[in-house]
Amino acid sequence: MNEGKVSENPESRFSAVLVGAAKLPGVRIHREAYLRRTLARYCSEDEIRRAIEETPAAAGISVDVLDRAANDSIRYETAKASALSAAAGIPGFIALPATVPADMAQYFGHMLRISQKLAYLYSWPDLFSDGGDDVDDATMGVLTLFFGVMFGAQSANAAVGKVAGMMAEQVAKKLPQKALTQGVIYPIVKKVAGYIGAEMTKQTFAKSVSKAIPVVGAAVSGGLTFATYRPMAKRLKKHLSSLELTKPTHRGVNVEGEGIHESAATEHAEQHDRL
């Protein structure tokens, strides 16, 4: 009886899908490899090295450059998610029980992929650094808030801003575990998870209708994914790029954590003033 109540709880439903999506092959983004590959078009080797060792902000990489790199990633992930969604729509009505859960899983998997990519570009720490299959509570919390921003939950916007502010103020290289799991941010995480869980039910119904007719369903399903995924990714990009954590003037801790030094942008400015 309790299990039935849990399954009907929107918060629990979303959390289960998020954990499941995080375990799908290819969903987790290797931060170092991604930053090196993505920034290679725009940055020097020294800037890339420092972005990896610390953050893109500490490397002095401008928000304009990061925005261009983010747009590249959004275009890639949108095209990939839309193509897979269209493929899932081909079987038609008889295969609905199988295709809808699979489509929802891949959709959320691609949301996870773009969330990680945007987070790493805009100076958030490695979200899956432990390398295990499990997702720790702090990572679950911040990913829930990222998804909330993508779904348009204003409370998620405010919470992400608070988390970023904590990290910037404390010059932290890890997520604020306590705030996300039991502190001031945790109630917002739970509220956002419930909101997304309810929205998931609506999306599942919409995708079920779009897949009812073979071939036509494929086109509609792929178009529906394209029409929703890209704006959601853009929404997260806009919010993350506006936070203090992203600014090149943000100060960072050295690799050993023994002291604080100015960002590359500040150093470049001082060198320019001396010339």
Side-chain angles (χ1 to χ4, degrees):
M1 185 174 182
N2 289 336
E3 290 181 2
K5 289 183 178 179
V6 170
S7 66
E8 293 172 4
N9 184 306
E11 178 190 334
S12 299
R13 186 184 306 123
F14 166 72
S15 297
V17 173
L18 182 60
V19 170
K23 293 180 179 180
L24 292 174
V27 164
R28 300 191 184 191
I29 303 299
H30 189 279
R31 178 180 176 274
E32 178 178 346
Y34 169 70
L35 287 176
R36 182 170 296 283
R37 180 177 65 252
T38 304
L39 295 177
R41 295 180 56 188
Y42 306 104
C43 304
S44 67
E45 178 58 34
D46 185 61
E47 288 174 323
I48 295 172
R49 177 189 57 76
R50 191 166 180 184
I52 291 169
E53 292 179 355
E54 301 174 54
T55 66
I61 301 173
S62 72
V63 175
D64 286 342
V65 168
L66 296 177
D67 284 346
R68 290 200 293 273
N71 287 335
D72 291 342
S73 291
I74 289 173
R75 280 192 293 270
Y76 174 81
E77 293 296 335
T78 300
K80 192 172 180 182
S82 300
L84 289 175
S85 181
I90 291 175
F93 183 81
I94 196 170
L96 282 182
T99 60
V100 174
D103 192 24
M104 181 62 72
Q106 72 85 16
Y107 187 85
F108 271 66
H110 279 283
M111 287 181 68
L112 272 175
R113 282 177 58 87
I114 197 61
S115 294
Q116 292 170 81
K117 288 183 175 184
L118 295 177
Y120 299 153
L121 283 173
Y122 294 120
S123 294
W124 289 70
D126 198 335
L127 300 177
F128 294 105
S129 57
D130 59 5
D133 289 335
D134 294 333
V135 185
D136 67 48
D137 291 339
T139 295
M140 274 287 292
V142 81
L143 287 173
T144 297
L145 295 177
F146 286 170
F147 275 44
V149 173
M150 296 173 83
F151 273 89
Q154 290 303 311
S155 58
N157 281 29
V160 169
K162 287 180 181 179
V163 174
M166 290 177 187
M167 294 178 63
E169 183 179 344
Q170 299 170 13
V171 203
K173 300 186 74 174
K174 291 186 177 181
L175 296 173
Q177 300 275 332
K178 186 174 181 180
L180 284 164
T181 58
Q182 54 184 287
V184 293
I185 307 297
Y186 182 62
I188 305 175
V189 171
K190 290 177 66 67
K191 180 181 177 181
V192 169
Y195 168 74
I196 300 175
E199 290 297 304
M200 280 170 51
T201 302
K202 299 176 186 177
Q203 284 205 10
T204 300
F205 176 76
K207 288 178 178 292
S208 297
V209 173
S210 74
K211 290 181 172 66
I213 305 174
V215 182
V216 174
V220 173
S221 181
L224 181 64
T225 295
F226 182 85
T228 57
Y229 184 91
R230 186 172 180 275
M232 293 169 78
K234 288 281 190 179
R235 194 177 292 138
L236 180 59
K237 172 205 159 194
K238 181 179 180 181
H239 188 56
L240 293 183
S241 68
S242 71
L243 301 176
E244 189 63 29
L245 202 61
T246 302
K247 305 299 185 291
T249 52
H250 175 60
R251 297 162 67 92
V253 171
N254 64 20
V255 176
E256 291 77 21
E258 296 174 347
I260 299 175
H261 56 74
E262 298 288 348
S263 71
T266 305
E267 293 174 1
H268 292 336
E270 291 174 348
Q271 292 173 3
H272 183 270
D273 290 341
R274 291 197 294 267
L275 294 177

